[in-house]
């Protein structure tokens, strides 16, 4: 079982829909990241969370530390939101390294 | 301000060859991490360097090595390339190892 599980793996929505992507993790963490990856590879950091909720424009990220669960919400989705969204946690279980452990990503396609 | 820059962007090598990938972190960032992303998977941790010292190593063979220079830039070296080393190699920098991570565009390595 992967340390970080994302659902769904693929998501297709119509423009304007409310989107939710979920992330569950099985290890103790110091922070959780939500990242966006477009075709071609570059990764953009959307949020870094250690508790509660953060909002940036149409994006909202929440985390429940007790339940080891985080969600990324996109309101009023737009075709330009089409990308792979990746959840990554930082716990550091190898000799104190501060590595990120990634989920496999959720591929979001928003149709006009 | 320049973000994280990686070079080259694309590279084709033959099995058995050696490759060196380069990463320049955001100015002032002292932590650099390397990740390998195979097609369809989330990135996997390879190395982390902080203040020019190795702080963590992922589950990769000894053919993989890295170093960090006094100006905090970093190189990832892979010897005796295998077809399975074909991947997107991502570099991430942060102010300190536990801060928000900023990613470069990656180097896409193809081994033929």
């Amino acid at each position: 079982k992967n340390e970080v599980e994302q659902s769904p793996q693929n998501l297709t929505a119509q423009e304007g829909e409310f989107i939710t992507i979920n992330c569950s993790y099985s290890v103790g963490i110091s922070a959780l990241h939500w990242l966006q990856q477009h075709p071609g590879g570059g990764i953009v950091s959307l949020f870094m969370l250690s508790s509660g909720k953060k909002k940036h424009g149409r994006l909202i990220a929440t985390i429940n530390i007790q339940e080891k669960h985080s969600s990324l919400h996109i309101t009023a989705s737009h075709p330009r939101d089409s990308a792979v969204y990746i959840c990554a946690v930082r716990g550091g279980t190898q000799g104190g390294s501060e590595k990120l452990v990634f989920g496999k990503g959720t591929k979001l396609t928003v149709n006009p | 301000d320049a973000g994280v820059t990686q070079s080259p962007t694309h590279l084709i090598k033959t099995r058995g060859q050696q490759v060196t990938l380069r990463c320049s972190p955001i100015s002032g960032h002292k932590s650099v991490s390397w990740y390998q992303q195979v097609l369809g998977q989330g990135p996997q941790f390879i190395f982390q360097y902080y203040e020019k010292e190795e702080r963590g190593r992922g589950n990769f063979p000894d053919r993989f090595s890295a170093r960090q220079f006094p100006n905090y830039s970093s190189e990832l070296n892979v010897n005796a390339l295998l077809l399975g080393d074909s991947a997107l190699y991502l570099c991430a920098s942060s102010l300190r190892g536990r801060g928000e991570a900023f990613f470069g565009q990656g180097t896409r390595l193809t081994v033929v």
Side-chain angles (χ1 to χ4, degrees):
Chain A
K1 188 180 187 300
N2 292 331
E3 291 180 2
V4 181
E5 296 279 356
Q6 284 186 238
S7 63
Q9 288 188 331
N10 292 281
L11 182 56
T12 301
Q14 289 300 121
E15 184 173 356
E17 286 185 1
F18 182 82
I19 303 292
T20 296
I21 299 171
N22 296 298
C23 175
S24 296
Y25 53 92
S26 57
V27 296
I29 69 168
S30 59
L32 181 144
H33 297 247
W34 280 103
L35 308 157
Q36 181 191 58
Q37 186 171 34
H38 281 280
I43 289 180
V44 174
S45 178
L46 299 174
F47 296 103
M48 184 177 74
L49 292 163
S50 54
S51 64
K53 176 179 174 179
K54 285 190 176 180
K55 184 175 189 294
H56 181 70
R58 294 180 294 107
L59 302 178
I60 303 166
T62 63
I63 188 169
N64 184 318
I65 297 292
Q66 286 73 29
E67 295 187 3
K68 292 187 166 65
H69 181 269
S70 176
S71 294
L72 175 69
H73 305 286
I74 305 174
T75 61
S77 60
H78 190 275
R80 66 174 173 265
D81 296 326
S82 297
V84 175
Y85 292 83
I86 304 175
C87 169
V89 301
R90 187 177 65 230
T93 58
Q94 288 183 257
S97 73
E98 292 142 353
K99 67 173 185 175
L100 291 174
V101 178
F102 292 77
K104 292 185 177 181
T106 295
K107 184 177 180 182
L108 171 66
T109 303
V110 182
N111 294 316
Chain B
D1 239 356
V4 179
T5 57
Q6 291 187 242
S7 63
T9 54
H10 294 82
L11 200 52
I12 300 174
K13 289 284 191 179
T14 304
R15 273 181 301 174
Q17 284 189 315
Q18 175 264 342
V19 68
T20 298
L21 311 181
R22 296 176 175 84
C23 172
S24 292
I26 290 172
S27 178
H29 284 193
K30 298 181 178 180
S31 176
V32 170
S33 297
W34 288 95
Y35 295 87
Q36 181 197 63
Q37 186 178 25
V38 174
L39 197 63
Q41 301 292 318
Q44 296 289 316
F45 173 72
I46 312 175
F47 286 108
Q48 188 214 357
Y49 278 78
Y50 178 66
E51 286 280 18
K52 293 157 281 184
E53 290 187 3
E54 182 182 303
R55 292 298 182 97
R57 170 187 285 256
N59 189 22
F60 281 81
D62 291 343
R63 299 184 296 106
F64 288 76
S65 63
R67 55 180 175 169
Q68 187 176 33
F69 298 98
N71 66 353
Y72 303 109
S73 67
S74 178
E75 285 183 352
L76 174 70
N77 295 284
V78 187
N79 294 322
L81 285 166
L82 303 174
L83 295 180
D85 296 330
S86 296
L88 180 69
Y89 288 84
L90 292 158
C91 171
S93 80
S94 62
L95 195 57
R96 294 173 297 275
R98 290 185 171 270
E100 185 171 5
F102 294 84
F103 287 82
Q105 288 292 309
T107 294
R108 187 163 298 282
L109 172 65
T110 302
V111 182
V112 298

